[in-house]
Amino acid sequence: MKDSIPRQRSPGAGRKPGAGPFGEATTAVRVPNSQLDRVRGFLEQSKRAASSCSIVRISAEFGKIGRAAERPALLPLPLFLNRISAGFPSPADDYVEDRIDLNEQLIRNKAATFFLRVQGESMTGAGINPGDTLIVDRSLAPASGTVVIAVLDGELTVKRLWFDQSGVVELRAENPRFPPIPVGEYQQLEIWGVVTSVIHKLLP
């Protein structure tokens, strides 16, 4: 019978410390087979949460992100008394009732307001078209049915938020070419802000 000789690892062999998905040393742990999927799901969720807190990817749906000025210049514009009709305007109605400032009309909370330029077509049914500018308020609480800027697994997207009391959550497009996005149990979802207004230019 031959004597057993303990095997010695070569220097530098095996996985290097910190080479795992969490970037740190690991410890062997015994887990019941019935709990493997739950533990794996928890670790995957933790990994996604850590990555989404540090990096947010700007998807192809958006251009640059702008922020509302802390002290916007006042720009009162004329407000006419009569509502516009689809026919010909009457010269007798050409007088001004008051003046309005678009900053006051469109921005509720300057410190929490941002602007995003839209590039995709997934929300055309809601009047949000490519090239439009979204006014987003991060201080508002999102409700089911509101249009939101969501961060799903670290990527920004604009969709209509939908959820019910059973815990089902979906991000729904307003274009039949784009199917709803169900949010899975182990996906990381953060509502970045609520869309309050859309700026749509008629001239290039």
Side-chain angles (χ1 to χ4, degrees), residues 143-146 160-164 166 168-172 183:
S144 183
T146 55
R160 191 176 296 279
L161 177 66
W162 183 89
F163 56 86
D164 59 20
S166 67
V168 176
V169 180
E170 286 186 346
L171 298 175
R172 297 182 174 181
V183 180

Side-chain angles (χ1 to χ4, degrees), residues 19-121:
F22 288 89
E24 57 188 87
T26 59
T27 301
V29 178
R30 293 183 180 273
V31 179
N33 291 335
S34 61
Q35 302 299 313
L36 279 176
D37 290 340
R38 178 174 295 183
V39 172
R40 287 171 179 161
F42 173 78
L43 292 175
E44 183 65 23
Q45 184 178 12
S46 299
K47 183 176 67 174
R48 287 174 176 168
S51 63
S52 65
C53 288
S54 57
I55 299 175
V56 174
R57 298 185 297 273
I58 307 300
S59 69
E61 293 183 70
F62 301 109
K64 296 181 179 179
I65 299 179
R67 187 168 187 173
E70 291 293 335
R71 295 182 179 180
L74 295 178
L75 185 61
L77 299 175
L79 174 65
F80 290 89
L81 176 63
N82 283 24
R83 296 183 181 273
I84 192 169
S85 66
F88 293 97
S90 169
D93 293 336
D94 190 17
Y95 63 92
V96 176
E97 176 195 19
D98 199 353
R99 291 183 179 272
I100 63 173
D101 190 297
L102 294 182
N103 291 314
E104 296 179 354
Q105 293 292 316
L106 300 179
I107 299 176
R108 304 179 185 179
N109 187 340
K110 294 189 292 292
T113 299
F114 292 79
F115 303 90
L116 291 93
R117 184 69 54 82
V118 179
Q119 294 182 349
E121 299 180 348

Side-chain angles (χ1 to χ4, degrees), residues 148-165:
V148 300
I149 305 300
V151 184
L152 183 61
D153 293 336
E155 185 168 343
L156 279 174
T157 182
V158 55
K159 293 291 183 289
R160 191 176 296 279
L161 177 66
W162 183 89
F163 56 86
D164 59 20
Q165 295 181 350

Side-chain angles (χ1 to χ4, degrees), residues 60-62 118-124 128-131 178:
E61 293 183 70
F62 301 109
V118 179
Q119 294 182 349
E121 299 180 348
S122 66
M123 296 297 290
T124 54
I128 300 175
N129 298 285
F178 297 84

